[in-house]
Amino acid sequence: MAKVIMKGAEVAAAMKEKLVREVEDLKARGIEPTMDIVRVGAKPEDLAYERGARKRLEGIGIRLVVTELPEDIDQKHFEEEFSKVNDDPKINGIMLFRPLPKHLDEEPVDRMIDPGKDMDCMSPVNIAKVFSGDETGFAPCTPEGVMEMLNHYGIQLKGKRVTIVGRSMVVGKPLAMLMLKKHATITICHTRTADLAGTCRNAEIVVAAAGKAGMITADMVSEGAVVADVGINVGADGKMCGDVDYENVEPKASYISPVPGGCGSVTSSVLAKHVVIAAGRQNG
Ligand code: NDP
């Protein structure tokens, strides 16, 4: 059996304790940390994320406003509405739900967003900071959540062999940069990786972020490895599951995160952390 099951709720609770105190300090100075979700249309997955974010942010004392824009909004009006949110001094942080509907181009708002309000790393300025190891940038919430989780459970990265399965700009690549900053030795795998199983077996820490249900099987994980599962999938039984074949991998792992209840539950706590940092910085 794994030594430790890494639970997102435990990480979120520890983060909450600290964040609540920081929000109280801000409020004592007359600052109400406020975040704006910009949502185009009403996709069920966006609404689900929004509900989770509202619960987490409001539970910490952060005000959440939602700018809901019609699904068929044109590019010009979309940019105008985004610009209004961006320029509003009462808004400390912004998160745009992506992907946008196909007729909209995200790039102009990626360039437009104030990097200091960019809570989920849309801006090229924040991307560059993450890739150059400058910790003043806001990293994407999901990979930073993985870092929070490993840190919470005391898992050292210095000198460790890490294999990350997935090379997206949302998870895999930025996570590799965050781990590199902590002196891990990283291998990033993808669909053209020649020996995925061997590369995973060689790792002391495996992070699965591919979006393929159960693809990390027990034979791909070495005895005592740390396994963090970022994947969110719907399994053959219709239930939510990760990328790791949890039942069979768990007995081999030293630390493992389940799905649901693992990495995904930390993402909105990182979002809250970013809003608190942004509100503090914007008010000196
Ligand atoms: P993408 O689809 O953008 O990227 C998936 C990556 O995994 C790609 O680099 C792809 O390789 C690689 N990959 C896919 N299948 C395989 C395979 N069989 N073998 C090796 N590599 C493979 O997904 P995201 O990065 O956006 O998300 C990854 C997972 O994380 C998803 O399940 C998603 O739902 C979840 N997620 C969870 C979040 C949260 O917890 N809050 C937030 C964001 C994502 P290639 O580049 O070659 O195509």
Side-chain angles (χ1 to χ4, degrees), residues 22 55 67 92 95-96 100 110 120 122 131 138 151 153 155 160 167 173 188 196 208 223 230 235 241 258-259 263:
E22 289 172 2
K55 201 168 152 209
T67 301
N92 306 114
M95 186 179 205
L96 170 69
L100 292 167
D110 289 347
D120 201 24
M122 294 165 61
F131 277 71
F138 289 115
N151 183 48
Y153 287 99
I155 293 158
K160 293 279 170 63
R167 58 174 164 180
K173 277 187 203 165
I188 307 179
L196 182 66
E223 201 68 49
V230 181
C241 67
V259 178
C263 299

Side-chain angles (χ1 to χ4, degrees), residues 210-214 229-235 238-244 259:
K212 292 281 174 303
D229 192 352
V230 181
I232 300 177
N233 314 291
V234 179
K239 290 190 186 145
M240 190 203 277
C241 67
D243 289 352
V244 175
V259 178

Side-chain angles (χ1 to χ4, degrees), residues 169-191:
M169 280 298 284
V170 184
V171 191
K173 277 187 203 165
L175 179 60
M177 294 303 123
L178 297 176
M179 290 183 151
L180 200 54
K181 173 82 182 167
K182 299 292 177 197
H183 312 295
T185 301
I186 322 286
T187 306
I188 307 179
C189 298
H190 44 80
T191 52

Side-chain angles (χ1 to χ4, degrees), residues 15-23 60 269 272-273 276:
M15 290 177 74
K16 180 177 177 178
E17 209 179 293
K18 185 164 175 277
L19 288 168
V20 164
R21 281 200 305 274
E22 289 172 2
V23 169
I60 287 168
S269 299
K273 177 180 153 188
V276 171

